[in-house]
Amino acid sequence: MAPIEPPENMIRIGQWQTPSPDWLPPECRDAINDAAADAEAQVATALDSIGIPAGRSDRVSGATLAGAGIGGAAGAVVAGVPVAATGAVLGGLIGGTVGGIAGAALGTVVPVPVIGTVTSGVAGTALGAAAGAAAGAVVIGVPAAAVGAVAGGTVGAGFGAGVGVGQP
């Protein structure tokens, strides 16, 4: 099966398609579409090779990819967001403590727009908490999102394949 060309200004992953958002560069949209179309063509070709009729294999591969994409996105959000939030809280606490101690050791005052002047300990706490929260969210949130994406994508692909097989 040759890769399927999506409609103009659309993102197509298997049987699922949506208008491309305005903020997404055309190069990214095209890369998504190319990767999805190539994967769909490879799945359909594999199904053809084991004796599934060509039209049916096209429907099954399209439904499988759509299920994998939707399941993967859902899995990443469900697993990644709560873990990233936990990482942000823990990282913020650790970063704020370290930053506050380091800032207090300086023993100066820092001018802050709108607020006025604050001690270097307070400034260090705020900066450390912000940096720690960002680092904590990334360090434990990204791996959790990846695991969730794989699990959700696997379940979604299985569901999509079942839906595709059930199509006439």
Side-chain angles (χ1 to χ4, degrees):
M1 170 185 165
I4 296 173
E5 186 72 27
E8 184 67 27
N9 205 29
M10 298 288 281
I11 294 175
R12 180 182 181 283
I13 301 173
Q15 292 181 343
W16 178 81
Q17 64 183 25
T18 187
S20 180
D22 294 335
W23 52 264
L24 185 69
E27 302 81 30
C28 291
R29 177 197 64 224
D30 294 344
I32 292 166
N33 285 333
D34 290 346
D38 288 344
E40 183 179 3
Q42 289 176 6
V43 170
T45 300
L47 294 173
D48 290 345
S49 74
I50 60 170
I52 295 177
R56 189 170 187 86
S57 68
D58 294 347
R59 289 187 299 278
V60 171
S61 67
T64 301
L65 251 58
I70 294 167
V77 170
V78 167
V81 170
V83 173
T86 301
V89 169
L90 293 174
L93 291 172
I94 294 167
T97 301
V98 171
I101 292 169
L106 292 176
T108 63
V109 289
V110 179
V112 178
V114 180
I115 296 174
T117 57
V118 297
T119 65
S120 56
V122 170
T125 299
L127 292 173
V138 170
V139 166
I140 70 170
V142 169
V147 168
V150 169
T154 302
V155 170
F159 181 76
V163 168
V165 167
Q167 294 176 352

